[in-house]
Amino acid sequence: MAAGKDDLDAYGIPVVPAPAGAASRKRRAIVDAALTEFLAEGYSAASMDAVTARSGVSKATVYKHFGSKERLFLAVIGDVLRKTCADLEPAGQAIAAAPDLRSALVRLTTDRARILLRPDVMALRRLVIGEIDRFPQLGRLWCRVGHDVDDGPLVEALTALDARGDLAVPDPKLAARQLVAATVGVPQLVRTFSPEAEIDEAELERVIGSGVDLFLARYATGA
C-alpha cells in the first residue's frame, strides 16, 4: 500500500503527479534531476543551478513548481518513499492463509529486504538520517510509511493467526516490528553505516531464516 496524497500533505510533502501533460513532465524532470543532485551532494551542498542544468528547464520553472529548495527536497523524498511503498506488496491475507507459515514469512521478509537494500533506497535513508534535525517531518513520514502503511497488512495477519490459535501474539503491532527488525533490520543496519558492505544471497538467506525462526519461537502457542 503506497502513501497517498493525504498522507504526504499531512507532513507538508509536495506531491509529484504522474507526467500526463507538459507541466507534469517538467515537474517529473525536475524531481529526477534533484534526486540525483541531493544524493550526490547532500541537501546543504546541492545546487539549484545544477538541478536546473540536469533537468533541462529554466530556474524560473523550477521555482514556479516548487517555490524553494526546501520544498523541492521534501518532494523528492516523498516521491521516492511513495514509489518504494508501491513496490512492497501487501501480504496480510497470504500470510494468514499460508499452509507453511515459516516459508511465507521468509518470502515476505526476503522480498522486502531486496527492495529496502537497493542502493537508491539506502542512499535515500542515509540522506534522511543526515537531515533529520532540519526536516523532522521526514523522519515522521518515514516511520508513518514503514510502521503504519507497510506493516499494516502484516499486523492484520498476525491478529488473525492469534485469533485462530496458530500463534500467541498479544500485541500484533509490536510483533510485526520485531519480525522486521530481526530480519530486514539486520542487513539494513549494516548497509546504512557501511555502504560498501556486501550482503550476498547466502548471507541474506541465513540472517532472514534465523530471524523468522526467532520470531516463531517467541510467538509459538505455549511458548
Side-chain angles (χ1 to χ4, degrees), residues 39 113 115-129 142 187-195:
L39 289 180
I115 292 169
L116 296 181
L117 292 175
R118 287 191 330 225
D120 59 328
V121 178
M122 290 304 306
L124 180 72
R125 178 182 175 86
R126 294 184 206 100
L127 183 58
V128 169
I129 290 172
W142 195 284
Q188 187 180 58
L189 181 63
V190 172
R191 290 292 298 275
T192 296
F193 298 103
S194 298

Side-chain angles (χ1 to χ4, degrees), residues 16-196:
V16 182
S24 292
R25 286 194 294 272
K26 287 182 180 179
R27 191 176 175 91
R28 175 81 265 158
I30 294 166
V31 168
D32 289 345
L35 175 60
T36 301
E37 179 68 9
F38 285 131
L39 289 180
E41 304 296 337
Y43 176 80
S44 298
S47 162
M48 292 296 274
D49 288 333
V51 172
T52 298
R54 290 179 189 274
S55 65
V57 304
S58 68
K59 184 178 289 189
T61 299
V62 173
Y63 281 98
K64 176 183 176 182
H65 280 281
F66 295 99
S68 67
K69 179 179 175 180
E70 175 179 321
R71 283 189 61 78
L72 176 57
F73 181 69
L74 293 174
V76 166
I77 303 300
D79 187 61
V80 177
L81 273 178
R82 195 168 62 252
K83 288 180 178 178
T84 302
C85 289
D87 290 339
L88 296 168
E89 296 184 6
Q93 291 183 350
I95 294 296
D100 184 340
L101 180 57
R102 182 185 187 277
S103 294
L105 291 175
V106 167
R107 183 167 57 254
L108 168 69
T109 50
T110 300
D111 289 346
R112 176 175 288 198
R114 289 197 177 109
I115 292 169
L116 296 181
L117 292 175
R118 287 191 330 225
D120 59 328
V121 178
M122 290 304 306
L124 180 72
R125 178 182 175 86
R126 294 184 206 100
L127 183 58
V128 169
I129 290 172
E131 299 295 340
I132 202 74
D133 290 334
R134 190 195 306 267
F135 299 106
Q137 66 269 50
L138 289 180
R140 292 193 294 270
L141 176 63
W142 195 284
C143 288
R144 159 80 177 93
V145 169
H147 291 162
D148 296 342
V149 178
D150 292 342
D151 292 346
L154 179 57
V155 171
E156 293 175 6
L158 294 177
T159 301
L161 290 166
D162 177 76
R164 288 207 309 257
D166 294 335
L167 293 177
V169 190
D171 188 339
K173 183 175 288 188
L174 173 62
R177 295 182 182 182
Q178 289 172 332
L179 174 63
V180 174
T183 54
V184 180
V186 177
Q188 187 180 58
L189 181 63
V190 172
R191 290 292 298 275
T192 296
F193 298 103
S194 298
E196 74 287 350

